[in-house]
Amino acid sequence: DGGIGALGERRELARERGVPPYLIFNDTALREMARTRPGNAEELLEIKGVGETKARDLGPAFLAAIAKA
């Protein structure tokens, strides 16, 4: 399930950055990632809550986590 991988990735990045997990991606965005399982940055950008900056900075880690799950 891509949601499990994305959830773990969000928690890890939040801990590393010292911010609450919802600032990485909100729960709605994570659910949409789990549902659609984006395979590239363009597909990730179609998810509400994912902008250019988050796609660039966080996208590779989340895409990898979704692909592994």
Side-chain angles (χ1 to χ4, degrees):
D1 177 1
I4 303 282
L7 185 61
E9 189 64 33
R10 178 178 75 166
R11 191 174 349 177
E12 177 75 23
L13 286 170
R15 186 173 47 241
E16 288 174 8
R17 294 173 182 221
V19 299
Y22 69 85
L23 290 181
I24 301 295
F25 284 117
N26 64 42
D27 290 349
T28 302
L30 286 183
R31 282 192 294 274
E32 188 66 8
M33 286 179 203
R35 188 181 72 74
T36 62
R37 298 185 58 85
N40 58 50
E42 292 78 26
E43 292 173 358
L44 193 61
L45 283 167
E46 293 175 11
I47 296 172
K48 185 176 180 181
V50 179
E52 292 284 339
T53 301
K54 285 188 177 184
R56 181 184 64 244
D57 295 347
L58 305 171
F62 275 82
L63 291 171
I66 291 166
K68 282 189 215 174

